[in-house]
Amino acid sequence: MDSRRKDRREARLKQEIEKYRASNPKITEQFADLKRKLADLSAQEWESIPEIGDYSLRNKKKRFESFVPVPDTLLEKARQEQEHVTALDPKSRAAGGTETPWAQTPVTDLTAVGEGRGTVLSLKLDRLSDSVSGLTVVDPKGYLTDLKSMKITSDAEISDIKKARLLLKSVTQTNPKHPPGWIAAARLEEIAGKLQAARQLIQRGCEECPKNEDVWLEACRLASPDEAKAVIARGVMSIPNSVKLWLQAAKLETSDLNRSRVLRKGLEHIPDSVRLWKAVVELANEEDARLLLHRAVECCPLHVELWLALARLETYDQARKVLNKAREKLPKEPAIWITAAKLEEANGNTQSVSKVIERGIRSLQREGMDIDREAWLKEAEAAERAGSVLTCQAIVKNTIGIGVDDEDRKRTWVADAEECKKRGSIETARAIYAHALTVFLTKKSIWLKAAQLEKSHGTRESLDALLKKAVNYNPRAEVLWLMAAKEKWLAGDVPAARAILQEAYAAIPNSEEIWLAAFKLEFENNEPERARMLLAKARERGGTERVWMKSAIIERELGNVTEERRLLEEGLKLFPSFFKLWLMLGQMEDRLGRGAKAKEVYENGLKQCPSCIPLWLSLASLEEKISGLNKSRAVLTMARKKNPATPELWLAAIRAELRHANKKEADALLAKALQECPTSGILWAASIEMASRPQRKAKSSDAIKRSDHDPHVIATVSKLFWLERKFDKVRTWLNRAVTLAPDIGDFWALYYKLELQHGNADTQKDVLKRCVAAEPKHGEKWQAISKAVENSHQPVEVLLKKAVLAFDADEILNAGGA
């Protein structure tokens, strides 16, 4: 059916299209007949057709017409030129027609207009001057400034002011005894700029509400300086018991003597006003102040500040009497007891201080006072700041335990001490620890915290005394013995350190830490024989792998190769999985030039410790030296298979390729390495160094994001800034690196090198001091220098300077390979 209808459908569609085209012909179809006629045109007719011009809007330039207003002078001149006068005016006729009167010609001189304005202004100023004294009340210099600062109110504001004025007028009329209404009305007039009206209103307010001090204070504020005293005088006559009015009256006086007189007059009316007593005492000298305070405490016996002020001014005996009286009057006031304790301390009665505080707390508790531990600790800190250390200690001793459960005591007291330490209240923290240690004699952690406090804020003597007590109460605490010995050693007292370690060994006979500390003490102080004896004893008593390692180190230093080998081999029989012994044995063979033997040692070590990266790296390095790159490459590939995702192995392989100038191979390895270890800082640092110069910035940005601000990347970026000679940025970035990883000596060496080349003596000292405090142990160059036999006893300063020399001039400049 569809195929039958198809012909009919197509015919209908064709008919519709023809009909549409007939009604909507195209432009080409409309001009088709005319185009056909063009074929009959001759060449002359064609030539005579005129050229079409460019009428497009695009090429038409818009003309901008500007209108300038015509000056008045020009208009005036035009008017005069066009003016025709045929008759003389009466004034001209009066002058005989020979003169033009001044009024006839229009004024066109603008300078004259300006002068006229100046004259008018001067007349106004003259009118404002005081006719009696001849002195002007207008400041001629500040006049224009005053005009500028005047507020020009808009119509809306004026209407608001009018409404408010009507409203307040009705308030004051309907309720004239309501003081806020008068004050508001006066302030409205003041805002509106009508100061005189404001004064009149507030004056009426004073008449209507003579017993309200706020109205008098407002009247005093609005009055002129000369009238203010008279206003306040009327005020204090109306309300003689108003403290505010007397204080305001005193404020208006210019000399201290007059102020004092006014205040004393006020005290005659209000003898129990603490504010007036305080104000009058502040103005008096010491002797007068004492007499005034005697009277003040009689009039205001319940005000503790007056009692304390009096006690401070009195002699010791009198002060004690004053404080006793104060206690009778104010039995619930802790400040009196604290002041009494401070008084005893100031006068050398150290025994009484603690008794006073103890009695005070008992007395306050009897009176039903709740002892707030936090508030008392704050008082202890305040006493410390005032220099009353014994009072501070007494407060802590007597209040620190109040309101604390037994099981929470240790935690709470340590937290309190740490908070005090943060706030700089060292004596308070010391007192808290001292009290805690009387309760928890055997708690090692508290002794350590107290020792740390003494180390950072105390003297060597106080620290020694504390540690001596600590080891007496905790003879089994290794860490306290070691700390005591180290402090003695740092102070340069080696025999005392030795004695402490002997005591420690007697207390803890089988402590390996103490054996090793004793060995280190002898070893670092160039007593190798003593050190050997100690380690021999330790080995006999079944020392751990560390003892065997230290034994081998001392033999290596003394140059006893046979003994060193024997110790290492014996140690490996006992501890075959301790990789450091394998490493030391391999390095010894390598040092003696026995490469094959060293290789065998490393391979045996890797059978025992297949996941030990330093052993793999040492073997690869040895193979490269003996057999070349191919063998080394094979070792590193095997290592990576056994220890996947280890950046150190990848980096070793990349560097091996670079050493043999295989840049393409190194790049390929680096790409694989970053796929396997996408966040490794050392690999990203290598990628920055290997990148070509234009690519380094982009690489640095990627590296910092991907490695999460790894210190190796940060140090490498600092090298790029060094190349660009941006030394401030280098300093900032190296500072970040040593802050993030203070244990890596290479960063300190770079930082110190920068300061040596581009810093000053102060910055060099600062870096050196920080490096010594950090005691770095790691870093490729740092370890190579610090572990060398000839540097075994060198201090950090010497190692740092040697490390700087290792970073030779090419190190920075060649930071980028390509």
Side-chain angles (χ1 to χ4, degrees):
M1 284 172 75
D2 187 55
S3 61
R4 263 190 277 150
R5 289 189 193 126
K6 188 180 175 187
D7 295 337
R8 210 184 313 158
R9 192 166 57 244
E10 283 178 358
R12 190 169 70 246
L13 189 65
K14 192 176 177 185
Q15 197 178 345
E16 281 174 6
I17 289 167
E18 283 172 3
K19 188 179 176 184
Y20 174 77
R21 282 191 179 155
S23 59
N24 297 298
K26 291 180 184 174
I27 293 173
T28 49
E29 288 170 357
Q30 286 177 354
F31 293 101
D33 53 339
L34 295 172
K35 278 186 184 176
R36 278 196 294 274
K37 285 179 187 173
L38 286 173
D40 304 333
L41 282 180
S42 63
Q44 289 82 9
E45 285 173 326
W46 188 264
E47 295 263 331
S48 63
I49 294 171
E51 284 290 327
I52 177 83
D54 186 2
Y55 291 110
S56 64
L57 284 170
R58 187 177 54 200
N59 295 324
K60 280 187 181 177
K61 287 185 180 176
K62 289 179 183 177
R63 290 180 185 173
F64 292 102
E65 293 180 356
S66 60
F67 298 96
V68 178
V70 180
D72 295 347
T73 48
L74 192 64
L75 293 171
E76 190 61 42
K77 197 171 181 186
R79 192 179 68 74
Q80 285 173 25
E81 283 172 0
Q82 289 172 1
E83 196 171 31
H84 299 287
V85 180
T86 52
L88 292 172
D89 68 334
K91 285 184 182 177
S92 299
R93 283 200 296 275
T98 54
E99 292 177 11
T100 306
W102 65 270
Q104 189 67 31
T105 309
V107 178
T108 56
D109 187 359
L110 296 176
T111 314
V113 173
E115 284 174 1
R117 280 183 185 163
T119 312
V120 171
L121 186 62
S122 66
L123 286 167
K124 281 184 180 175
L125 287 169
D126 290 343
R127 204 176 299 138
L128 285 164
S129 67
D130 188 355
S131 57
V132 180
S133 60
L135 295 169
T136 177
V137 291
V138 175
D139 175 15
K141 286 181 184 172
Y143 182 71
L144 290 174
T145 316
D146 287 347
L147 286 177
K148 194 175 179 183
S149 66
M150 273 174 69
K151 187 184 173 192
I152 299 165
T153 46
S154 64
D155 293 345
E157 283 180 35
I158 289 166
S159 69
D160 287 348
I161 286 169
K162 283 179 179 173
K163 284 177 191 170
R165 192 178 279 139
L166 277 170
L167 189 65
L168 290 168
K169 190 178 179 184
S170 85
V171 168
T172 51
Q173 281 176 352
T174 53
N175 189 0
K177 300 295 179 190
H178 183 58
W182 292 107
I183 293 168
R187 284 190 183 170
L188 178 71
E189 295 303 336
E190 186 189 7
I191 290 163
K194 296 183 177 180
L195 197 58
Q196 199 55 43
R199 285 173 184 164
Q200 287 169 359
L201 273 169
I202 203 69
Q203 191 58 46
R204 282 179 58 202
C206 290
E207 289 164 11
E208 294 288 350
C209 315
K211 295 294 178 188
N212 185 275
E213 61 184 15
D214 291 333
V215 176
W216 286 108
L217 287 169
E218 188 67 15
C220 179
R221 188 180 69 79
L222 290 170
S224 63
D226 297 333
E227 292 172 2
K229 283 187 188 177
V231 170
I232 208 75
R234 291 204 304 276
V236 293
M237 282 168 70
S238 299
I239 325 169
N241 293 332
S242 169
V243 175
K244 283 185 185 176
L245 290 182
W246 283 109
L247 288 171
Q248 182 62 29
K251 205 184 284 182
L252 292 174
E253 295 296 339
T254 49
S255 70
D256 283 353
L257 186 63
N258 288 343
R259 281 194 196 120
S260 187
R261 277 179 188 160
V262 169
L263 290 167
R264 288 181 190 208
K265 189 82 175 163
L267 284 167
E268 288 174 18
H269 293 281
I270 329 162
D272 59 345
S273 167
V274 175
R275 285 172 70 190
L276 288 180
W277 279 114
K278 279 187 185 175
V280 79
V281 167
E282 278 172 18
L283 294 170
N285 59 33
E286 195 173 320
E287 191 54 42
D288 289 348
R290 196 155 54 79
L291 294 169
L292 284 165
L293 282 166
H294 270 294
R295 181 82 183 108
V297 293
E298 286 172 24
C299 297
C300 315
L302 299 179
H303 205 277
V304 72
E305 279 185 44
L306 297 175
W307 285 106
L308 297 182
L310 178 58
R312 278 195 287 272
L313 291 175
E314 287 288 8
T315 59
Y316 171 58
D317 292 327
Q318 285 297 319
R320 286 182 73 176
K321 287 175 187 173
V322 166
L323 290 170
N324 284 332
K325 278 185 192 171
R327 273 208 296 274
E328 288 167 18
K329 299 283 183 187
L330 297 159
K332 292 185 178 181
E333 188 53 67
I336 297 168
W337 291 99
I338 293 167
T339 307
K342 286 179 184 174
L343 179 70
E344 296 297 338
E345 184 177 350
N347 285 279
N349 298 337
T350 51
Q351 300 298 319
S352 307
V353 177
S354 187
K355 287 177 188 172
V356 167
I357 294 292
E358 203 175 323
R359 273 177 56 211
I361 288 167
R362 279 207 305 271
S363 169
L364 291 167
Q365 284 172 333
R366 272 201 309 274
E367 292 292 334
M369 277 286 289
D370 185 24
I371 303 296
D372 182 359
R373 187 171 149 283
E374 298 294 328
W376 278 88
L377 281 180
K378 285 196 175 105
E379 289 292 347
E381 289 183 55
E384 180 189 341
R385 284 193 293 276
S388 304
V389 176
L390 291 173
T391 306
C392 163
Q393 289 170 353
I395 292 171
V396 169
K397 184 183 169 186
N398 288 290
T399 60
I400 193 75
I402 294 171
V404 181
D405 294 334
D406 285 357
E407 60 270 22
D408 292 337
R409 283 186 303 178
K410 182 188 164 195
R411 183 176 51 80
T412 309
W413 291 348
V414 168
D416 287 338
E418 290 300 310
E419 283 300 314
C420 290
K421 191 171 156 187
K422 278 182 198 166
R423 290 196 290 269
S425 304
I426 305 304
E427 286 297 336
T428 312
R430 193 175 277 146
I432 293 170
Y433 280 134
H435 180 72
L437 289 169
T438 59
V439 179
F440 302 105
L441 279 171
T442 56
K443 288 292 180 187
K444 187 171 62 177
S445 58
I446 300 178
W447 284 108
L448 277 174
K449 293 235 179 232
Q452 286 296 338
L453 180 74
E454 290 302 331
K455 191 174 180 180
S456 45
H457 298 285
T459 60
R460 280 196 190 281
E461 291 75 28
S462 65
L463 179 57
D464 284 346
L466 183 80
L467 287 169
K468 214 169 263 180
K469 278 171 72 180
V471 294
N472 283 342
Y473 288 114
N474 296 272
R476 306 288 299 169
E478 283 177 0
V479 67
L480 293 171
W481 285 108
L482 294 173
M483 194 174 182
K486 189 176 183 182
E487 288 307 319
K488 283 290 182 191
W489 177 25
L490 289 174
D493 191 352
V494 176
R498 209 174 271 144
I500 287 170
L501 287 171
Q502 281 172 354
E503 283 179 45
Y505 185 69
I508 320 169
N510 296 320
S511 168
E512 186 183 302
E513 289 293 331
I514 288 167
W515 277 111
L516 291 175
F519 151 74
K520 188 178 181 182
L521 180 69
E522 303 300 351
F523 184 58
E524 294 293 342
N525 287 288
N526 294 321
E527 295 277 2
E529 288 305 322
R530 278 185 152 185
R532 283 171 84 181
M533 282 166 60
L534 281 165
L535 289 173
K537 280 183 188 173
R539 288 199 305 278
E540 285 168 22
R541 289 170 185 266
T544 62
E545 58 266 35
R546 284 173 69 202
V547 173
W548 290 90
M549 182 181 76
K550 298 284 183 191
S551 304
I553 287 171
I554 200 164
E555 296 302 337
R556 182 179 71 189
E557 187 164 310
L558 294 169
N560 301 337
V561 178
T562 317
E563 186 63 20
E564 183 186 355
R565 185 182 283 112
R566 185 187 70 77
L567 284 167
L568 287 168
E569 285 171 353
E570 279 184 28
L572 285 168
K573 283 174 191 169
L574 293 168
F575 310 104
S577 59
F578 186 54
F579 76 91
K580 285 190 179 180
L581 294 177
W582 290 108
L583 263 179
M584 285 172 72
L585 186 57
Q587 285 166 358
M588 186 192 78
E589 300 294 0
D590 190 15
R591 204 167 55 243
L592 296 169
R594 299 167 65 179
K597 182 71 179 160
K599 181 183 167 186
E600 187 189 327
V601 169
Y602 288 141
E603 283 171 348
N604 288 336
L606 284 167
K607 285 173 190 170
Q608 298 290 338
C609 320
S611 60
C612 174
I613 307 306
L615 275 175
W616 284 110
L617 294 175
S618 298
L619 180 59
S621 176
L622 185 68
E623 287 288 14
E624 189 180 348
K625 194 162 66 175
I626 297 170
S627 313
L629 178 62
N630 287 339
K631 197 76 177 157
S632 170
R633 200 183 277 157
V635 168
L636 287 168
T637 307
M638 176 71 74
R640 289 200 302 276
K641 277 183 184 171
K642 291 196 176 179
N643 302 282
T646 307
E648 290 82 5
L649 294 172
W650 284 104
L651 187 62
I654 292 160
R655 284 181 177 169
E657 299 298 343
L658 286 173
R659 278 196 293 275
H660 292 81
N662 298 339
K663 179 80 172 67
K664 280 190 177 176
E665 186 64 33
D667 286 340
L669 275 170
L670 180 63
K672 285 181 190 171
L674 285 171
Q675 279 180 340
E676 199 170 302
C677 315
T679 58
S680 167
I682 53 173
L683 289 177
W684 278 110
S687 78
I688 296 169
E689 290 181 352
M690 286 165 65
S692 60
R693 224 167 180 175
Q695 293 176 333
R696 282 184 197 157
K697 273 193 179 173
K699 267 274 191 279
S700 303
S701 178
D702 277 357
I704 289 166
K705 283 178 197 164
R706 300 277 179 84
S707 66
D708 192 24
H709 298 270
D710 186 276
H712 292 89
V713 173
I714 287 166
T716 308
V717 171
S718 74
K719 291 181 190 176
L720 300 187
F721 286 127
W722 200 320
L723 282 171
E724 294 170 7
R725 304 190 67 75
K726 295 177 179 172
F727 298 118
D728 285 338
K729 282 195 172 181
V730 179
R731 189 172 284 114
T732 306
W733 283 72
L734 280 174
N735 191 38
R736 279 176 67 191
V738 296
T739 307
L740 287 168
D743 196 45
I744 297 178
D746 292 10
F747 301 159
W748 286 109
L750 264 177
Y751 197 1
Y752 192 52
K753 181 174 178 138
L754 171 79
E755 296 303 350
L756 286 172
Q757 289 183 1
H758 306 288
N760 55 37
D762 290 339
T763 54
Q764 288 162 21
K765 265 187 206 164
D766 180 52
V767 172
L768 195 60
K769 186 179 168 188
R770 285 170 64 194
C771 178
V772 170
E775 291 185 6
K777 297 278 187 298
H778 298 97
E780 286 179 54
K781 286 188 168 51
W782 185 268
Q783 279 175 296
I785 291 161
S786 64
K787 299 245 171 135
V789 176
E790 64 272 15
N791 297 330
S792 59
H793 296 295
Q794 298 290 6
V796 176
E797 296 98 315
V798 176
L799 294 175
L800 181 64
K801 285 167 186 172
K802 287 193 176 185
V804 168
L805 294 173
F807 281 98
D808 56 359
D810 299 331
E811 177 70 27
I812 304 299
L813 299 173
N814 293 339

